[in-house]
Each structure stands twice: as C-alpha cells, then as structure tokens.
Amino acid sequence: MTPPDAAQAFQRSRLVRGLLWLAGSLSLILGVIGVAVPGLPTTPFVLLAAACYAKASPRMHAWLLNHRLTGPLLRDWEANRSLTRRTKAIAVVSMLVMVSFSIWSFRHRWIAQAVLVVLGAVGAWVVLRIPTRKP
C-alpha cells in the first residue's frame, strides 16, 4: 500500500496533467481558429499547445511534432526557441492584410473596425515579442 503523501502527489499530478491537456487543447483550437480569424495569431497558440502537451500527453506532443503543418515550426522552435525574421515578417504582413480586408468589409461599423484594429495590434505585438533568430 502506498503512503498517503504518495497517493496525494499522484492525484495532484493527474489533476495537473489534466489541466495541462485542457489548456493545450484550448490553445490548439485557438490556433486553428487563428488561421481564419484576422488578428488572432496562430503561432503562439500552437507553441503553447505543444508546451502543454509535452508535460501532459506525450502522444499529442508527438502528433504535433510529426504533423506536416505544425511539425516544422515546432521542431524549429524546440531547437532554437526563436523565429526567423522571414517567419515573423510573413506572420505580421499576413495579419496586416487580413485585418485590413476585414476592416474594409466592416465599413460603416466603427466599433467592429476598432475591435479589429486592437486584435490585429495584439496579434502583431505577440509575434514581434518572440525572439528573432540571427542568420
């Protein structure tokens, strides 16, 4: 029979793993949504999902690492903990284009336009805060 402290630690670790799995799943969902929603960054959410899954679910972490779309980004991130200038430029420019198109499509709705500007600025800020790898 295990001592009470060991049993409590095991239960606590199961709870932590469950919460990390939930956070990873929510982050992955937000990352997928970010592909289509202007201003919502995809990269940071995918990175967060991978970090959560690394602690909670080795199977999901391996799936993300081997996925044809997320794998290269995650393997590069885990090796260098930074993004190339090119990757950051593509992310920010694509957000700018999509946010601009969305603002144009919501003309005469200034509140929606203001929300889009704020979301786009937050998305760009998040991407620009990630360290840039020197060539």
Side-chain angles (χ1 to χ4, degrees):
M1 189 160 190
T2 60
D5 292 336
Q8 286 176 340
F10 178 72
Q11 289 291 61
R12 194 174 319 123
S13 69
R14 285 185 63 192
L15 175 65
V16 169
R17 281 196 330 268
L19 291 173
L20 284 170
W21 186 89
L22 180 63
S25 297
L26 291 174
S27 296
L28 186 57
I29 289 168
L30 286 172
V32 170
I33 292 170
V35 171
V37 174
L40 186 64
T42 298
T43 301
F45 287 118
V46 172
L47 293 175
L48 179 59
C52 290
Y53 286 147
K55 299 277 186 188
S57 174
R59 185 174 60 88
M60 286 298 291
H61 185 249
W63 179 76
L64 282 177
L65 284 174
N66 294 314
H67 193 274
R68 68 181 181 88
L69 297 177
T70 60
L73 168 77
L74 292 174
R75 287 189 299 271
D76 184 50
W77 174 259
E78 287 187 357
N80 301 298
R81 294 285 191 232
S82 61
L83 297 175
T84 63
R85 198 175 305 277
R86 180 178 182 272
T87 301
K88 288 173 102 172
I90 289 170
V92 171
V93 168
S94 64
M95 278 192 284
L96 178 65
V97 168
M98 292 305 294
V99 168
S100 298
F101 176 72
S102 296
I103 289 171
W104 176 79
S105 65
F106 280 101
R107 58 190 174 275
H108 309 300
R109 294 184 181 154
W110 66 271
I111 293 175
Q113 290 177 326
V115 168
L116 287 167
V117 167
V118 169
L119 290 175
V122 168
W125 177 74
V126 167
V127 170
L128 293 173
R129 285 198 59 224
I130 296 171
T132 304
R133 183 172 49 245
K134 294 180 174 138

